[in-house]
Amino acid sequence: MMKDCYVSRTGRDAALIARCDPVIYEGGRYARALEQEQLQAYEQDGFLILPDVFDASEVGALREEAVALEHDPAVREGEEVIREPGGDALRSIFRVHELGRRLADLPRDPRLLDVARQILGSEVYIHQSRVNMKPALDGKEFYWHSDFETWHVEDGMPAMRALSCSVLLTDNTPFNGPLMLIPGSHRQFVACVGETPEDNYKKSLRRQEVGVPDPVSLRLLAEQGGLRAVTAPAGSVVFFDCNTLHGSGGNLSPWPRSNVFMVYNSVDNRLVAPFHGMDPRPEHIAARRSAAALEPLAVAA
Ligand code: 6CS
Ligand code: FE
């Protein structure tokens, strides 16, 4: 059993553990998608916002496909759908990179894939994908959390060698619950209190209560790094490290805030058995069988 550098949810008190993995993996021969100053900003903050990567027609087509999935009766009854807490509105659809056609091509688009391969310094595969719908007037919050804390404890992700890429399918404004991040928080692992209930994902994806940072650690990291809201137009992209603390507020605006998230994991960081003896989570949340390295899309000449 490999040494567990990031022990969490073992009943002891909360703790801050210094990250023991690099942020940028020098893979040498991998793509040069980002400029040096962009890489430095990502290493410093734990995220990078790229405005207007996709043009209106591209993001319109992606959004159309996401809306079609949202209204597809077969999808609505599937295990990939998560509904809002206390209601029926759709909160997330998982595994969208295998449900949609344009959404299947998206993770292989060199504008995204090459950034992931450069930062992770290796071939990569999709650990998880989802569309978070955050519907108008009804979209509930995602409380502050580190994705890696969950992916390490519940999915057996060994090291911090993964990142999320979020493509904004609608404008993200100060009013519709934009993604918020804590700059610099990726450098500390917040060990969480509490034990993980059986099949935790059935609750945590609606409202996460276990594996969330304690208020003292949150305040400390926010006072060190501040808070940053990703308010940007549809078609913008934000890359964030697997351990950067993030969350989003509820959506009180009459317009949806819909973002697609794709999690790139290094092929050298494939999942092992979950670290505290739990059963592995289902394939549509944490890929094990479909963990083949992504082939880049042939770019139209
Ligand atoms: O448990 C997970 O994998 C999911 N939970 C959150 C709150 N963000 C990451 C991921 O979608
Ligand atoms: Fe998350």
Side-chain angles (χ1 to χ4, degrees), residues 56 70 190 259 271 277:
E70 186 182 352
V190 183
N259 294 351
L271 306 185

Side-chain angles (χ1 to χ4, degrees), residues 94 127-128 130 132 142-143 145 147 150-151 154-155 201 204-205 208 246 281 285:
F94 278 78
H127 161 68
Q128 174 187 108
R130 65 198 182 277
N132 283 348
F142 286 79
Y143 189 72
H145 62 281
D147 292 337
T150 293
W151 297 338
E154 298 190 49
D155 295 337
Y201 68 93
S204 69
L205 295 177
Q208 187 175 2
H246 62 285
R281 296 200 298 173
I285 297 178

Side-chain angles (χ1 to χ4, degrees), residues 28-299:
R29 58 197 169 93
Y30 279 95
R32 290 278 168 270
L34 295 180
E35 303 300 332
Q36 273 314 310
E37 55 274 4
Q38 290 175 307
L39 271 183
Q40 281 153 13
Y42 180 89
E43 182 158 45
Q44 173 69 23
D45 296 336
F47 63 90
L48 181 69
I49 301 169
L50 300 179
D52 302 321
V53 172
F54 296 94
D55 66 27
S57 71
E58 289 177 304
V59 73
L62 285 166
R63 169 122 183 85
E64 201 179 294
E65 189 168 284
V67 171
L69 288 177
E70 186 182 352
H71 294 95
D72 177 336
V75 171
R76 292 178 70 87
E77 293 315 310
E79 61 181 357
E80 293 85 358
V81 161
I82 305 294
R83 294 180 188 273
E84 289 290 0
D88 232 11
L90 262 59
R91 178 176 173 89
S92 306
I93 304 174
F94 278 78
R95 203 171 64 86
V96 286
H97 70 291
E98 292 177 333
L99 291 176
R101 190 184 59 74
R102 293 188 185 91
L103 288 164
D105 287 347
L106 189 61
R108 298 169 52 221
D109 186 310
R111 290 170 286 186
L112 309 180
L113 177 61
D114 284 349
V115 172
R117 291 165 84 197
Q118 181 182 13
I119 290 173
L120 302 177
S122 73
E123 294 295 337
V124 295
Y125 72 93
I126 294 297
H127 161 68
Q128 174 187 108
S129 74
R130 65 198 182 277
V131 172
N132 283 348
M133 336 299 289
K134 205 178 277 284
L137 300 173
D138 204 6
K140 300 294 184 283
E141 80 282 356
F142 286 79
Y143 189 72
W144 293 108
H145 62 281
S146 154
D147 292 337
F148 178 76
E149 195 279 344
T150 293
W151 297 338
H152 182 68
V153 172
E154 298 190 49
D155 295 337
M157 183 182 280
M160 294 181 181
R161 191 172 185 178
L163 59 84
S164 287
C165 168
S166 180
V167 178
L168 279 53
L169 300 181
T170 63
D171 293 350
N172 279 225
T173 75
F175 312 107
N176 64 357
L179 177 69
M180 297 188 291
L181 302 126
I182 302 184
S185 58
H186 60 309
R187 286 194 290 270
Q188 301 287 337
F189 178 74
V190 183
C192 301
V193 297
E195 310 270 331
T196 312
E198 189 85 14
D199 287 347
N200 183 44
Y201 68 93
K202 290 181 179 164
K203 267 188 64 189
S204 69
L205 295 177
R206 300 188 80 180
R207 183 189 302 264
Q208 187 175 2
E209 286 162 4
V210 174
V212 292
D214 64 285
V216 173
S217 302
L218 258 182
R219 175 189 293 276
L220 189 144
L221 292 170
E223 277 170 355
Q224 277 176 355
L227 302 182
R228 178 75 188 274
V230 181
T231 48
S236 305
V237 177
V238 52
F239 290 93
F240 56 103
D241 179 86
C242 57
N243 189 46
T244 304
L245 288 180
H246 62 285
S248 58
N251 181 2
L252 296 183
S253 86
W255 303 289
R257 188 233 70 182
S258 174
N259 294 351
V260 53
F261 292 78
M262 294 157 293
V263 180
Y264 290 99
N265 190 24
S266 166
V267 292
D268 301 327
N269 193 39
R270 283 193 173 93
L271 306 185
V272 298
F275 278 81
H276 302 306
M278 270 167 263
D279 292 338
R281 296 200 298 173
E283 186 73 13
H284 67 278
I285 297 178
R288 291 174 186 274
R289 290 192 303 275
S290 57
L294 287 176
E295 286 300 320
L297 278 183
V299 179

